Amino acid sequence: MGASYRTAHFRIRMLRNPLGVTRLGIAAGRKAGKACARNRIKRRLREYFRLNRDRIPPETDVVFIALPGAATVDTRQLCEELDRFFDRE
């Protein structure tokens, strides 16, 4: 199946894929905040993925699921949180 991890503000699911590329998925439900906050979370996660794609194992699907409170995290904190996660992987 895949592996599921949790950080302070995100649940992260990782699954190998046979396509030879790394793909990103983002889920931000209503519990994560209002529409503008959910869109902000998604923009920040897409930018983090764009800048750090080489740190993620190749041929992997990565899905970030925003937890309640993810909208209160600023960009610097989000990057530090995800950097800590991918450094330990």
Side-chain angles (χ1 to χ4, degrees):
M1 204 53 202
S4 182
Y5 307 96
R6 185 180 167 113
T7 65
H9 298 97
F10 299 97
R11 184 172 304 128
I12 302 170
R13 303 267 325 202
M14 299 178 75
L15 180 66
R16 302 282 291 170
N17 72 44
L19 302 175
V21 294
T22 302
R23 299 186 299 177
L24 171 68
I26 301 171
R30 277 188 265 165
K31 290 182 181 179
K34 295 192 182 261
C36 59
R38 294 193 307 266
N39 290 334
R40 187 178 320 113
I41 292 167
K42 292 182 215 177
R43 281 194 306 272
R44 289 176 177 170
L45 288 171
R46 280 190 216 103
E47 182 67 7
Y48 180 84
F49 182 76
R50 184 183 72 82
L51 295 174
N52 296 286
R53 186 179 298 219
D54 57 329
R55 299 173 78 188
I56 299 170
E59 299 180 359
T60 304
D61 292 337
V62 180
V63 179
F64 293 102
I65 302 166
L67 298 174
T72 62
V73 178
D74 66 14
T75 303
R76 182 184 53 80
Q77 291 172 323
L78 181 137
C79 290
E80 288 173 359
E81 181 176 328
L82 296 179
D83 284 344
R84 280 192 306 271
F85 171 76
F86 284 110
D87 284 343
R88 71 178 182 87
E89 278 299 301

